[in-house]
Amino acid sequence: MSVNEQHQVQNLPIQLLGRKVLKLLTEGNFMNTSIPSRAIFQLDFTKLKRLVLIGLICLIALIPLFLLVKILVTAGTDSISNDYIRFTKLADRVLSEGYDWRWYFKDTLDNNVHSYAFLFPVRLVLAELTHLSVMAEIYVGLAITFVNLLLLFSILTRFIGSTSPLRFLLLPVLSAFIFSYSQISTYSFGETALQMGFTHLGILVGLWMLLLRSQSFFTPWVMLICGILSSFSGGSGLLGWPVFLLAILITNTGSLNKYIIWLVGLGIGASPYLAFSNYSIF
């Protein structure tokens, strides 16, 4: 075979492809080729309307938070009150050289009713980063409360198995209660904003795991950690333990594991109150 013939054989596939393209162009069959354009570009208007409706409901749910933040930003100044004297004295004592850490849980029991064993170091970090800014504590408390709102909504809707888009109507209702003007005294004070935020966060995360991830290996341990941190963020955190017990009774399949871990957590969370508090309701 000559060199010219070999060159023609090598170019044969290209020549065949060129002939096919030329045939399509001359016959116009390429215009009749079916392209699934509708399958690609067709919009599902029903789904789009649903997403727009959910988006509008979520925006409405943000209105109470926006109004509350507007009041907090425009009223008052970023200055500490005499209530911060307890915090600054405790910080001075704990951070001093030679502090006896055996008394940490006693020293962080505020007014005999609130254990701040976890909340106190959080406030120390914020004070260091923001130069003891009250507004910084308030904003962090509001952010945590917003997360709590989402957790509560998830628990109420997913546990009952609701999948209807109408379930999002619950968001504005919960937001109106949580961020109502009647709660302004809580959110306008940094200590209470953080206290309520962290105690509720611990309870809701533990409850979310118990109700929606009841079969997970990590659930009882998350409950344990969240319950202790909640109890060490304020006295109201102790309310998480009966709530956890009720959730265990509802979802437990008969294993003693969760009950044992719950009992251990209750003992740890309540220990500062039982050991050092002399508060009496009588």
Side-chain angles (χ1 to χ4, degrees):
M1 182 180 296
S2 64
V3 176
N4 188 27
E5 292 176 343
Q6 292 179 356
H7 182 70
Q8 291 178 355
V9 170
Q10 292 175 355
N11 291 336
L12 184 59
I14 299 176
Q15 294 173 358
L16 293 174
L17 178 61
R19 290 173 184 173
K20 288 186 176 181
V21 173
L22 182 61
K23 185 178 179 181
L24 285 172
L25 291 173
T26 54
E27 296 179 357
N29 291 334
F30 71 99
M31 296 297 295
N32 298 325
T33 304
S34 59
I35 300 176
S37 58
R38 299 189 65 183
I40 296 175
F41 300 106
Q42 183 180 16
L43 292 176
D44 189 345
F45 288 103
T46 303
K47 184 179 294 186
L48 182 60
K49 290 178 181 178
R50 181 180 302 175
L51 292 175
V52 171
L53 178 61
I54 293 174
L56 289 175
I57 294 175
C58 292
L59 287 176
I60 294 173
L62 291 175
I63 293 177
L65 174 60
F66 172 78
L67 295 176
L68 191 65
V69 171
K70 183 180 178 182
I71 292 177
L72 294 174
V73 171
T74 57
T77 59
D78 189 5
S79 60
I80 62 175
S81 65
N82 59 346
D83 293 296
Y84 278 75
I85 295 177
R86 302 193 315 273
F87 170 72
T88 54
K89 286 184 176 180
L90 177 60
D92 181 67
R93 183 163 63 253
V94 172
L95 297 178
S96 63
E97 185 178 356
Y99 176 72
D100 191 349
W101 289 94
R102 292 177 299 177
W103 299 107
Y104 176 77
F105 288 96
K106 182 178 186 300
D107 291 338
T108 53
L109 187 66
D110 188 68
N111 287 336
N112 288 316
V113 291
H114 295 296
S115 175
Y116 287 163
F118 171 71
L119 186 63
F120 173 70
V122 172
R123 296 186 68 193
L124 270 182
V125 172
L126 284 175
E128 176 66 24
L129 295 176
T130 64
H131 304 287
L132 198 58
S133 171
V134 177
M135 296 305 298
E137 290 187 334
I138 290 174
Y139 291 147
V140 172
L142 282 172
I144 296 173
T145 304
F146 181 75
V147 175
N148 293 340
L149 168 65
L150 299 180
L151 285 170
L152 182 60
F153 170 76
S154 178
I155 291 172
L156 293 176
T157 56
R158 294 182 61 180
F159 183 66
I160 62 177
S162 175
T163 58
S164 171
L166 294 178
R167 72 186 187 277
F168 286 95
L169 292 174
L170 185 61
L171 261 179
V173 177
L174 293 176
S175 179
F177 278 110
I178 293 175
F179 297 112
S180 68
Y181 287 165
S182 63
Q183 305 298 317
I184 192 68
S185 60
T186 298
Y187 299 118
S188 60
F189 184 41
E191 179 179 327
T192 55
L194 290 174
Q195 176 192 336
M196 300 303 290
F198 277 110
T199 54
H200 294 168
L201 179 64
I203 294 173
L204 288 172
V205 171
L207 187 62
W208 192 92
M209 290 294 294
L210 287 170
L211 294 179
L212 304 181
R213 296 291 186 271
S214 60
Q215 302 302 321
S216 173
F217 168 79
F218 299 101
T219 293
W221 302 107
V222 173
M223 173 198 68
L224 175 72
I225 296 173
C226 290
I228 292 174
L229 295 183
S230 181
S231 301
F232 289 172
S233 297
S236 60
L238 293 173
L239 296 176
W241 297 108
V243 173
F244 291 162
L245 180 60
L246 181 61
I248 293 173
L249 292 172
I250 293 174
T251 60
N252 196 29
T253 57
S255 173
L256 292 177
N257 184 38
K258 289 181 182 178
Y259 292 102
I260 295 175
I261 295 176
W262 175 86
L263 191 59
V264 171
L266 174 61
I268 297 175
S271 58
Y273 301 92
L274 297 175
F276 303 115
S277 177
N278 55 12
Y279 180 80
S280 175
I281 61 174
F282 303 105

